[in-house]
Every structure is written in C-alpha cells, then in structure tokens.
Amino acid sequence: MLKTENTEGCNKLIRRFLPCINQSYQSNESFDITENVKKYFEIAYLYTNLDSDKSLEYIRKGLNSGVIRHGWRKDGIVDHFLLDALSIMWNKYYFELQELQGFTKKYFQMVLAINQITDENYRCSAIKKIIEILLENDFELAKDMMKAVVSNNLHINELILQYCMALVKVGEPVDEIVSWFDYFDIVNHNEESISMKLQILLMIYKSDWYDKKEKESIRDKIRYYADEGWISTPVQWDEDLFQFYLNFCQNENIDAHLRNMTKEYEAEKNSEKNKFCKKIAKCKTKKYLQKLCDELMDYHNHIIIQSGDDWDMIVDKVYEIDGNADKILAYMEACKYPHDVYYTSNSSYFYMPLGRIIEKEGLTTKVWNHLKKNGGYGDFISIIRAYDYINNKKMCKRLFTRFFQYCEFLVYDESYYEQNTE
C-alpha cells in the first residue's frame, strides 16, 4: 500500500524497512514454488525507484524459479521436446558435425543449469538419451560427455549399462569397461546393479574382441555373480543374452538360478486399423468419407494409424474426394494438436499427415491459421517432425535453431547473455 502512494515519505519508510522485509522473506522460503516466485516479484516491486540493480536481481530470481519447472510441473519443453529435436538433427545430419557437437554440448550445459534453478537431478533420463544419440553418431564425444555426467552425479544404472555395452561392442579394454562398475548404485539398487554387471560380463565373454586370457578372468567373475543368492527377483534381459547365460551355466556345470521376464510381443494386430485403411482406400463419396472420418475420431473404435504410408493414403484420399484437407485438420484440432501430442493414441503420429499436407499445398493460410490457433506446448517439435517427415532440411534447420534459442531464453537469465557477448 505504501508503495502505491509513491511519495518521498513513503519511499523513506520502505527503504528503512526493506532489509527486514528481505530477510524475513529469505528465512521463510516456502515449499511452494509459486509462493516463492510471488515473493521475489513483490521484493522487486519494492526496490523500484530505490535500487534498480536489486529490483532486476529479484526479477531474474522470479523468472528462474518460475518459468522452468521441469519435473515438478511435468514441463518437458527442454527435457523431452528439444532433445527429440536434437535427435532428429543428428539422425539426418541436418547440420555439419561441429555444429551438432556444439548444440549437444550447449544442451548438456542447459540441463545442468535447469538442475540448479529447479528440482535438481530429475533429468537423468534426458542425459541417458543424449549419450545414446552420441554413441550412435560420435563415440569420442560420448566418452567425453560420460566423464562430465558422472562428475555431476547425473548417472543412473541404465546409463552405465548402456555405455558399458557400447564399449564392449567396439572392443574397448576390459579394465576400462570394468572400471565403470564403480558407478552402479548398489546402495539403492543392489540386485539391479548385480544383474547389469552380469549382463556386461556375459557380453564380454561372448564377444570375439577379447582373447582367452581376458575371458578367463571374466569367466571367474561371471561364476561369482551367477551364484545363488545375489539375485532373487526375475531379470529383464535380451532373450539371446539370457540363452547365452543358460548355455554358460550348462557348460560350467553350475545351476542356473536366474529367471527371465520375457517381453510379450503382440502380433501386428490392430485389425481395426487395417479394416479402416481398406475402407478408406475404396471410398468414393463425400458422404461415406465423412462416415469414415467420424469412425476415426471416435476413440472407442481403437483405430491407431502408425504408418506413414497409411497416413499418406488417407490424406491423398481426402484431397481426392474433398479437394482440401479440412477433415484432417478438424480431426487434429479436436485432438488439440499440435499443442498436445499425447491427447489421443494418434496424436503422436499427426506430424505425418501434417507433413503430407504441407508437402501437397505448402504452408497455406488455412494450415498456418490452424497452427497458430492450436499451437502451444508441443508445437515446435510437432512442426519440426512434420518438415522432417517430408525431408525439408532447410525448414528443419531454421525451426530447430529458433527452438534452441527459445529454450535458452527460458533457461538462462540476463547474466548468461552478458557473459557470452563478444
């Protein structure tokens, strides 16, 4: 109330009591992020006309604490969507190698920054995917980044297993591989750690990269971990590797104590999808086309279109009969696409028909209006996927660069840009 008066006397009173207010706010930080953000902006308001530097400092604190809430608020813009976009750039090599390396290193630093300003260490799955991308495309950078990952305590058991398996595949020295065993979390996940160590040892023993002497030492370790008592629950191994374990136990004349949880692979069923696509392919009239589109929009029918060829056929048929893509766009809008890519089972595949529509008629006013109206949380990655689907390298690069800059804006405060200006 005093601040709204904006008089010299009121400002003197505020200046006198600000240190006490500031201390009170800091000593009573709430578990509720929103409440803390509100306090930061209130202090920033009180400092206006009194200390502009302090006011800006608390504005930045409010932005840093409030804009990005990964984990807490299930905000996956950087954790998932930007990482998915980065994966597309690597898969298609839309940029030169050095540029891709630069984006990846910057992304890793972005994750570290998010850990500092939000709920910390809930981004290990994102780190695992970064390493997975690099293991497929830039092995040396993957090795360098793994050192940074463990130094920042961002590793999880699945990541260590993934990395060690990759080392085995390229024949890295046994001592180098086994040295990573120290990073398994045996305190909180002992049985899982033993199971993963045993998988790695079996892979080494199975590999042709290693000689008899190396395998002899590994053989003893396998016998040690395969002994009864280490693992009591069923494991989830690759079928081939588990069979190799069974053969090893038979050859060594030891009991096979482990049980494997086999994954159930459903036959390519989706009979409803197959029936629907056959009916669409034979469709000749607008009335029947509308009936089929209504069937597709009814989630009770469980029609899930995952194939690009099927979507292309559907889009082409709609154009053939209607002369436009209005029915497809209406379906997307009903599913809140591209704002939400998880609203229905088909939502995560909508980038395919969107790409086909753009390929056929370009980014028309109608399509652009749809994107503007329905864009939001997932629009950047959705549009990047659409242009990638039709192999439009130029637009993918432009969109990714803009998306990356947008995420940097969300993550970093003003000081970051001051340090990085030449």
Side-chain angles (χ1 to χ4, degrees):
M1 290 295 292
L2 283 173
K3 189 66 179 176
T4 58
E5 296 292 329
N6 197 28
T7 62
E8 183 61 30
C10 291
N11 283 334
K12 284 183 179 180
L13 280 173
I14 293 171
R15 185 181 287 109
R16 179 178 176 181
F17 289 106
L18 253 178
C20 297
I21 297 171
N22 199 344
Q23 185 177 0
S24 174
Y25 273 17
Q26 289 183 354
S27 61
N28 291 291
E29 281 205 345
S30 172
F31 189 71
D32 184 348
I33 294 175
T34 305
E35 188 175 330
N36 290 329
V37 171
K38 182 172 179 289
K39 288 178 180 179
Y40 287 138
F41 287 142
E42 285 174 350
I43 296 176
Y45 175 60
L46 292 175
Y47 271 114
T48 55
N49 299 325
L50 300 176
D51 189 332
S52 58
D53 290 337
K54 278 285 186 184
S55 182
L56 286 172
E57 176 187 337
Y58 280 99
I59 289 173
R60 284 196 295 267
K61 282 186 177 182
L63 289 171
N64 278 346
S65 298
V67 174
I68 298 293
R69 290 166 175 161
H70 293 71
W72 265 97
R73 303 303 171 92
K74 307 298 182 185
D75 189 346
I77 292 177
V78 176
D79 297 51
H80 301 292
F81 293 157
L82 181 59
L83 184 53
D84 287 346
L86 180 61
S87 178
I88 290 171
M89 298 305 113
W90 272 105
N91 289 341
K92 293 290 185 70
Y93 270 81
Y94 282 138
F95 293 89
E96 297 295 327
L97 178 60
Q98 288 186 338
E99 292 177 288
L100 290 168
Q101 291 172 333
F103 280 124
T104 306
K105 291 174 183 177
K106 285 182 178 180
Y107 179 83
F108 181 71
Q109 292 303 317
M110 209 182 296
V111 171
L112 296 183
I114 296 170
N115 279 349
Q116 295 302 314
I117 62 176
T118 55
D119 48 309
E120 292 198 3
N121 289 340
Y122 281 83
R123 269 148 228 105
C124 297
S125 59
I127 296 297
K128 180 178 179 290
K129 185 169 181 179
I130 296 174
I131 300 300
E132 182 181 334
I133 293 168
L134 293 177
L135 287 172
E136 294 175 359
N137 296 283
D138 192 336
F139 204 85
E140 290 305 313
L141 182 56
K143 293 172 76 172
D144 290 341
M145 195 158 286
M146 275 299 293
K147 296 174 185 176
V149 168
V150 295
S151 67
N152 285 279
N153 198 31
L154 287 170
H155 55 283
I156 52 176
N157 279 357
E158 290 87 348
L159 172 58
I160 302 301
L161 173 64
Q162 169 187 273
Y163 184 62
C164 287
M165 288 298 203
L167 294 179
V168 174
K169 288 178 182 177
V170 297
E172 289 290 309
V174 172
D175 290 344
E176 163 69 12
I177 298 168
V178 174
S179 69
W180 285 94
F181 283 17
D182 293 339
Y183 295 102
F184 279 112
D185 184 1
I186 61 173
V187 175
N188 298 303
H189 305 284
N190 184 50
E191 282 202 10
E192 179 186 79
S193 300
I194 298 298
S195 171
M196 290 180 174
K197 289 179 183 180
L198 188 51
Q199 288 179 75
I200 297 163
L201 294 170
L202 285 165
M203 279 292 291
I204 295 173
Y205 197 76
K206 182 182 178 184
S207 174
D208 293 330
W209 282 107
Y210 306 101
D211 58 34
K212 289 184 179 179
K213 184 178 179 181
E214 290 173 309
K215 289 190 176 184
E216 193 63 31
S217 64
I218 292 300
R219 171 180 166 275
D220 294 337
K221 287 184 173 66
I222 294 173
R223 289 180 61 93
Y224 175 73
Y225 284 122
D227 195 17
E228 186 177 13
W230 281 112
I231 303 172
S232 60
T233 56
V235 296
Q236 289 182 294
W237 291 6
D238 176 81
E239 285 293 326
D240 290 340
L241 186 61
F242 190 76
Q243 185 59 52
F244 185 80
Y245 156 77
L246 295 177
N247 294 340
F248 176 88
C249 291
Q250 184 177 2
N251 294 335
E252 294 294 319
N253 198 27
I254 60 176
D255 293 333
H257 298 289
L258 300 184
R259 293 166 295 145
N260 198 29
M261 291 177 63
T262 57
K263 297 177 181 178
E264 295 183 4
Y265 294 98
E266 299 181 6
E268 190 52 49
K269 49 176 183 61
N270 205 348
S271 58
E272 295 303 319
K273 181 269 292 184
N274 294 332
K275 291 177 185 176
F276 176 80
C277 288
K278 287 179 181 178
K279 289 189 285 187
I280 278 281
K282 296 177 181 179
C283 181
K284 300 294 183 182
T285 67
K286 290 188 176 185
K287 184 177 180 180
Y288 189 44
L289 178 63
Q290 183 61 59
K291 179 179 180 297
L292 292 175
C293 287
D294 291 340
E295 286 182 17
L296 180 61
M297 293 179 71
D298 187 347
Y299 70 91
H300 291 104
N301 292 323
H302 305 291
I303 302 170
I304 304 170
I305 314 295
Q306 299 173 311
S307 162
D309 289 340
D310 288 337
W311 275 117
D312 287 353
M313 183 272 293
I314 293 168
V315 171
D316 290 349
K317 178 61 70 171
V318 171
Y319 270 101
E320 177 188 319
I321 295 175
D322 284 353
N324 56 59
D326 289 359
K327 286 183 172 63
I328 303 294
L329 293 175
Y331 180 32
M332 290 180 181
E333 184 169 350
C335 297
K336 305 184 186 303
Y337 180 87
H339 171 69
D340 191 323
V341 295
Y342 307 111
Y343 192 77
T344 68
S345 296
N346 277 320
S347 295
S348 57
Y349 305 106
F350 279 155
Y351 69 90
M352 298 177 186
L354 176 60
R356 185 66 167 178
I357 291 168
I358 293 173
E359 185 177 40
K360 289 182 77 68
E361 59 177 293
L363 194 59
T364 62
T365 301
K366 184 178 291 185
V367 175
W368 178 239
N369 286 340
H370 166 81
L371 294 175
K372 283 196 297 183
K373 179 181 177 182
N374 301 284
Y377 195 77
D379 54 358
F380 256 120
I381 185 60
S382 298
I383 299 171
I384 289 172
R385 284 174 178 152
Y387 276 104
D388 174 59
Y389 181 69
I390 59 176
N391 296 309
N392 190 320
K393 177 179 178 179
K394 182 178 178 181
M395 280 301 297
C396 281
K397 288 178 67 174
R398 288 178 61 188
L399 287 165
F400 175 77
T401 302
R402 182 66 62 87
F403 189 20
F404 203 93
Q405 291 169 341
Y406 169 70
C407 288
E408 285 184 318
F409 168 75
L410 291 179
V411 172
Y412 296 116
D413 62 17
E414 185 180 349
S415 61
Y416 167 81
Y417 297 99
E418 291 174 350
Q419 294 170 8
N420 288 275
T421 52
E422 295 181 355

